Amino acid sequence: AGKSTLLNAVVGRRGAVATSGLRACTAVVVEVQRSPTETFKAVVSFISRDRYEEMLRKALRDLSMQDGRISKQQPASETHPGSMAWRLLAKIAPGFHRGSNGPWTDIEDATRCMLRVRNWATSRVGCTEEVEAATLEELSSRISRFMEDPPNPRTPS
């Protein structure tokens, strides 16, 4: 905790790297370097394909029922181990639980279905993107689109 705040202090600019007291808003790799030019630049590295599949399998295991099938129903209690997993899957594939024929047969079936989801976030799995801006404020704004819950949600291009 506090790594982004420390980086802001080191570079002497509040807001150079996004911070949040509530969640890991810089949970992607962020590289900070002195630039030889007057521009500000960030390199954002997204989760690898292997780690993404591992994350999906863990979330799906948390939704496993006693018979081995994977529930698509939102757990009734926020304290249920599958509650966080369900919210994660809903972010990756909004509506994954609607219009279905009941639970998935097993983790492999569910993983195959989730890996077929194509959207802005899943298309960047395993990628690296460079972002450059003339001002720190502009860079911060452009980087915020990569965060889980940016302060001012934007639709990335």
Side-chain angles (χ1 to χ4, degrees):
K3 294 176 289 299
S4 296
T5 301
L6 175 63
L7 283 173
N8 287 335
V10 168
V11 299
R13 303 288 286 272
R14 173 178 249 158
V17 179
T19 60
S20 170
L22 302 176
R23 62 171 42 106
C25 62
T26 51
V28 294
V29 176
V30 177
E31 181 179 335
V32 179
Q33 295 180 348
R34 178 175 292 284
S35 173
T37 67
E38 293 300 314
T39 62
F40 294 88
K41 183 175 169 182
V43 178
V44 181
S45 300
F46 294 89
I47 190 170
S48 71
R49 174 82 174 187
D50 290 342
R51 294 229 21 235
Y52 179 66
E53 285 187 37
E54 178 184 319
M55 178 189 68
L56 283 177
R57 283 188 171 81
K58 181 186 179 323
L60 293 164
R61 273 193 302 277
D62 287 347
L63 292 171
S64 300
M65 299 185 290
Q66 288 181 342
D67 64 3
R69 294 179 304 152
I70 310 299
S71 174
K72 294 180 186 177
Q73 299 298 311
Q74 183 173 14
S77 166
E78 284 295 311
T79 59
H80 183 281
S83 184
M84 185 180 289
W86 193 91
R87 286 194 311 271
L88 172 69
L89 296 177
K91 281 190 172 206
I92 294 169
F96 79 94
H97 58 288
R98 291 192 290 269
S100 63
N101 298 325
W104 286 299
T105 56
D106 57 33
I107 287 181
E108 291 310 309
D109 176 40
T111 302
R112 278 190 301 276
C113 288
M114 292 302 292
L115 288 174
R116 283 194 296 266
V117 171
R118 293 289 176 252
N119 57 34
W120 181 86
T122 60
S123 69
R124 283 164 171 77
V125 168
C127 295
T128 300
E129 291 194 25
E130 291 188 11
V131 181
E132 193 167 352
T135 67
L136 185 59
E137 293 75 20
E138 183 184 356
L139 181 70
S140 181
S141 174
R142 289 183 181 180
I143 290 174
S144 72
R145 70 185 184 169
F146 300 115
M147 295 189 298
E148 181 183 350
D149 292 317
N152 299 308
R154 294 172 180 83
T155 304
S157 55

